[in-house]
Amino acid sequence: MRFHVDAVLFDIDGTLVDSTAAVVRSWTAWAARYGLDAEEILRVCHGRRSEDTIAGFLPVGEQAAGVAALAELELADLDDVVALPATRALLRDLPADRWAAVTSGSRVLMRARLAAAGLPVPEVLVSAGDVSAGKPDPEGYLKAAAALGYEITRCLVVEDAPAGIGAGRAAGAHTLAVATSHPAVELAAADAVVPDLTACTVERTADGLVVITTAGRAGPRPSWSGA
């Protein structure tokens, strides 16, 4: 497929950065502290803001302290955070004013994980604290497109989680899923699904970008892509 767009909007964890081991350790330690089932939390936390996940497990009066406790655990655990395949090359090919990141994590944590992975921090980074509602709500992606100065319908959202794909589609963006953390079948709502970003290349044009996928499958909306 060929996505003709003005800008690319990336998720971070699971899309640009592999932080899986650190995420599992942090949530497991957090769950133990509160006497909760870590496996149950890990089944629902990916791609969502920490505060939204924690709201399902702690009483209202304990949630703020719970969020702070998790943030402390996460910032202390960056040892296994690495760049996912092809992310350095892909970001290098993108002009700084034509890509952004939209994350369910905090700004401090995401900057730390990008740095640990040796990846650049984008000029536009929309974090959990910048939105009133997390993914699958489209607010984050709408804000990122606006900050870059492009129409969301001319942007490509790249995500690894169903909640993120849902957010991109709700915003009106084109969507590309990378099956790095979820099986491809769980990402079928995306316009295209690839194993990871090694299956993608970017070409600059006079008026934007062309993102080309060289593997994977087409999703439910192929007609606009120019394939």
Side-chain angles (χ1 to χ4, degrees), residues 69-115:
L70 180 66
E72 182 179 353
L73 289 167
E74 289 179 318
L75 281 169
D77 192 343
L78 300 170
D79 291 345
D80 298 328
V81 176
V82 296
L84 281 161
T87 53
R88 288 190 182 91
L90 194 67
L91 295 180
R92 187 174 60 241
D93 290 340
L94 288 169
D97 62 347
R98 289 192 179 269
W99 74 281
V102 179
T103 174
S104 297
S106 72
R107 181 175 298 272
V108 171
L109 178 61
M110 291 302 104
R111 289 178 68 92
R113 283 184 177 166
L114 286 169

Side-chain angles (χ1 to χ4, degrees), residues 4-5 10 25-26 34 39 41 48 60 66 70 82 106 121 124 133 147 160 170-171 205:
H4 296 263
V5 295
F10 295 96
R25 286 193 299 265
S26 296
Y34 286 92
E39 290 301 319
I41 295 170
R48 303 174 65 206
V60 173
L70 180 66
V82 296
S106 72
V121 176
V124 174
D160 72 304
T205 66

Side-chain angles (χ1 to χ4, degrees), residues 34-194:
Y34 286 92
L36 297 169
D37 183 348
E39 290 301 319
E40 185 179 357
I41 295 170
L42 290 168
R43 278 195 294 269
V44 299
C45 70
H46 193 77
R48 303 174 65 206
R49 297 188 304 174
S50 298
E51 52 261 53
D52 296 333
T53 297
I54 288 171
F57 292 91
L58 291 182
V60 173
E62 298 179 29
Q63 289 173 16
V67 171
L70 180 66
E72 182 179 353
L73 289 167
E74 289 179 318
L75 281 169
D77 192 343
L78 300 170
D79 291 345
D80 298 328
V81 176
V82 296
L84 281 161
T87 53
R88 288 190 182 91
L90 194 67
L91 295 180
R92 187 174 60 241
D93 290 340
L94 288 169
D97 62 347
R98 289 192 179 269
W99 74 281
V102 179
T103 174
S104 297
S106 72
R107 181 175 298 272
V108 171
L109 178 61
M110 291 302 104
R111 289 178 68 92
R113 283 184 177 166
L114 286 169
L119 295 176
V121 176
E123 294 178 0
V124 174
L125 171 59
V126 178
S127 66
D130 298 320
V131 296
S132 58
K135 301 170 187 178
D137 190 276
E139 182 182 356
Y141 282 114
L142 291 170
K143 283 193 169 184
L148 287 173
Y150 301 116
E151 293 293 330
I152 188 64
T153 55
R154 289 281 302 167
C155 292
L156 174 65
V157 164
V158 184
E159 274 275 0
D160 72 304
I165 293 298
R169 288 180 62 83
H174 310 316
T175 52
L176 173 64
V178 289
T180 52
S181 65
H182 290 73
V185 67
E186 295 182 14
L187 304 168
D191 297 309
V193 181
V194 295

Side-chain angles (χ1 to χ4, degrees), residues 205-222:
T205 66
D207 60 350
L209 305 168
V210 180
V211 179
I212 304 165
T213 63
T214 57
R217 66 110 185 115
R221 295 192 306 169

